Amino acid sequence: MKARRLLLAAAFAALPAFAQQNVDISGKDFESGAGDAKFATLGRQAAASGKRIVVTAPPEWHGKIAAKIRAGGAANVVLKDGFYENVLVRVEDKPAEPPKPEPPKAEPRPEPKPAQRAAVDRVPVDVPGPKPTLPPPAPAPVPQAAPVVTTPPPAPVAAKPAPATAPAAVVKQAPATAAVTPAAAAAKPDVAKIQNGLEQTLNNGREAEGPLSVSGLLAGDFIFVDGPVRAVVRRESLRPRMFWLDGELDLRRAELKELGPNRYQVIEPIRGDNYSVRAERSDQPKQLVATEPPGNSPTRATFERDYNDGHPISGAITVERLHAGDIVYAGNGMAVVVRREGQALTRFWLEGSLDLGQAGLQKDGANKYKVISDTVR
């Protein structure tokens, strides 16, 4: 009996940790490629075990992550939008498919009893008897000639003078008033449905912890806006916390940093009603036409001092060759591109025209832009 228990314990110990595995890969490891081996291993194990992999990461990383996981095997990958620059991977069982309902069986109709069949088959027969006699038809009346009546011609009538026509009465009508129809009331958004969608996207389906006042916001909190609903996500560990923002908050306040459409980050706690607003963004896209500056340019020396520790920058790169993860430091007619290649950082001068207002760039400072798409223009 003891040997049997030892064998069972050894079997359980041999089970792979893949069955309940959560992997957190930092943005630095993802961009440098240090997490590629983990992605391939998870894909191989998921394909072999039939489990699925749920990935939470920024949407611009989804394509690369799915390709790296499927490089290890044909795994089932579910991608969810994340708001931190890291990758959270969770392994879970596939949801069971609901059983298909069977079609209702047709019940056989009962056969009629012999007595009922006889009653149905019986045909009524006419009973012989005296038939009623009908009276003879009345003779048709003979038409008679109508008498001829002569009438004397009418006496001439003297023509009467036509009476003077009275002036037509002027009828004053009240001016027609335009019918005012009440405007149809706008349909109110379904707050419960919006909150459920935000919980699925931002909190892995878990319910929010409750309301959070504006004064309770902390630096580093993220605010997501969907219609009348404002969700606050706070990350204190690997598992984020989610609240519903309670109270009025001007999203233009300088304490908030706009990360994208309906997405903000709290830079400083919100204090008081006297506040300043951020500079309004221009509707017209800002175009940067960058070229490599001359070797003796003072501005070139300034850029090399600030972004390359005073070392010269010799390489150049065109706008079409930018890809996600690059950092662009823009200046007056020039720009420096910083790219991570493995553990090293490489600097280039940017060549070409770049639209700084496009969706593929995320502004991260006064003159710093992060490339979040491989198709910038």
Side-chain angles (χ1 to χ4, degrees):
M1 187 68 180
K2 184 176 181 181
R4 185 178 180 182
R5 291 180 180 176
L6 291 175
L7 288 175
L8 288 175
F12 281 115
L15 289 176
F18 175 76
Q20 295 292 334
Q21 188 171 1
N22 292 331
V23 179
D24 191 5
I25 300 174
S26 65
K28 179 180 178 182
D29 290 345
F30 172 76
E31 293 179 352
S32 64
D36 292 354
K38 296 181 181 179
F39 288 129
T41 301
L42 290 173
R44 183 170 58 255
Q45 294 176 346
S49 63
K51 296 182 180 293
R52 71 174 185 177
I53 299 178
V54 181
V55 179
T56 303
E60 59 270 15
W61 293 358
H62 285 181
K64 291 185 178 180
I65 294 173
K68 293 177 181 180
I69 293 176
R70 294 194 176 103
N76 183 8
V77 182
V78 179
L79 300 171
K80 295 186 177 182
D81 293 345
F83 43 88
Y84 297 106
E85 291 188 354
N86 71 328
V87 183
L88 181 61
V89 184
R90 186 175 72 256
V91 180
E92 60 183 26
D93 295 327
K94 292 183 180 179
E97 296 184 358
K100 296 183 179 179
E102 297 182 357
K105 297 181 180 179
E107 297 182 358
R109 300 180 62 183
E111 291 290 336
K113 297 179 179 179
Q116 294 177 348
R117 187 181 300 108
V120 172
D121 296 339
R122 187 164 49 244
V123 180
V125 181
D126 294 340
V127 180
K131 296 182 179 181
T133 58
L134 299 177
V142 179
Q144 298 181 0
V148 178
V149 179
T150 59
T151 57
V157 180
K160 295 182 179 180
T165 57
V170 179
V171 180
K172 294 184 178 180
Q173 297 181 354
T177 57
V180 180
T181 58
K188 295 183 178 180
D190 191 344
V191 175
K193 184 177 180 180
I194 296 175
Q195 289 180 340
N196 183 50
L198 290 174
E199 288 171 342
Q200 294 293 331
T201 304
L202 305 176
N203 207 28
N204 293 328
R206 297 187 298 269
E207 294 185 359
E209 298 186 21
L212 179 68
S213 63
V214 175
S215 59
L217 291 171
L218 302 178
D221 289 349
F222 292 88
I223 301 176
F224 296 85
V225 181
D226 188 350
V229 181
R230 298 180 179 184
V232 179
V233 176
R234 177 179 298 169
R235 188 165 189 177
E236 297 179 348
S237 59
L238 292 178
R239 177 177 177 178
R241 302 177 62 190
M242 184 175 176
F243 308 90
W244 304 121
L245 186 61
D246 185 17
E248 296 295 330
L249 175 62
D250 189 350
L251 298 175
R252 302 172 304 165
R253 293 185 67 137
E255 295 93 337
L256 302 180
K257 177 182 177 181
E258 186 177 4
L259 302 178
N262 300 323
R263 182 180 173 188
Y264 304 86
Q265 184 179 13
V266 180
I267 305 301
E268 298 178 0
I270 308 299
R271 298 288 184 267
D273 295 332
N274 296 326
Y275 58 90
S276 58
V277 298
R278 300 186 305 275
E280 295 292 336
R281 298 176 59 183
S282 174
D283 294 334
Q284 299 295 330
K286 184 179 179 182
Q287 201 77 15
L288 170 66
V289 180
T291 58
E292 181 178 351
N296 56 354
S297 171
T299 309
R300 177 178 183 133
T302 302
F303 268 59
E304 291 174 339
R305 181 197 64 197
D306 293 341
Y307 305 118
N308 201 27
D309 297 330
H311 301 294
I313 301 174
S314 57
I317 188 173
T318 60
V319 174
E320 293 77 15
R321 293 177 56 194
L322 293 175
H323 60 67
D326 290 346
I327 303 296
V328 179
Y329 294 95
N332 186 14
M334 66 185 66
V336 170
V337 178
V338 180
R339 173 175 295 176
R340 179 177 293 277
E341 296 179 344
Q343 299 297 327
L345 295 177
T346 308
R347 280 83 171 176
F348 306 92
W349 295 109
L350 183 64
E351 293 278 357
S353 179
L354 179 63
D355 178 8
L356 298 178
Q358 62 182 295
L361 295 180
Q362 178 180 325
K363 191 172 183 181
D364 195 22
N367 67 331
K368 179 182 177 182
Y369 297 85
K370 183 176 181 180
V371 181
I372 59 176
S373 173
D374 291 335
T375 58
V376 295
R377 62 186 188 279

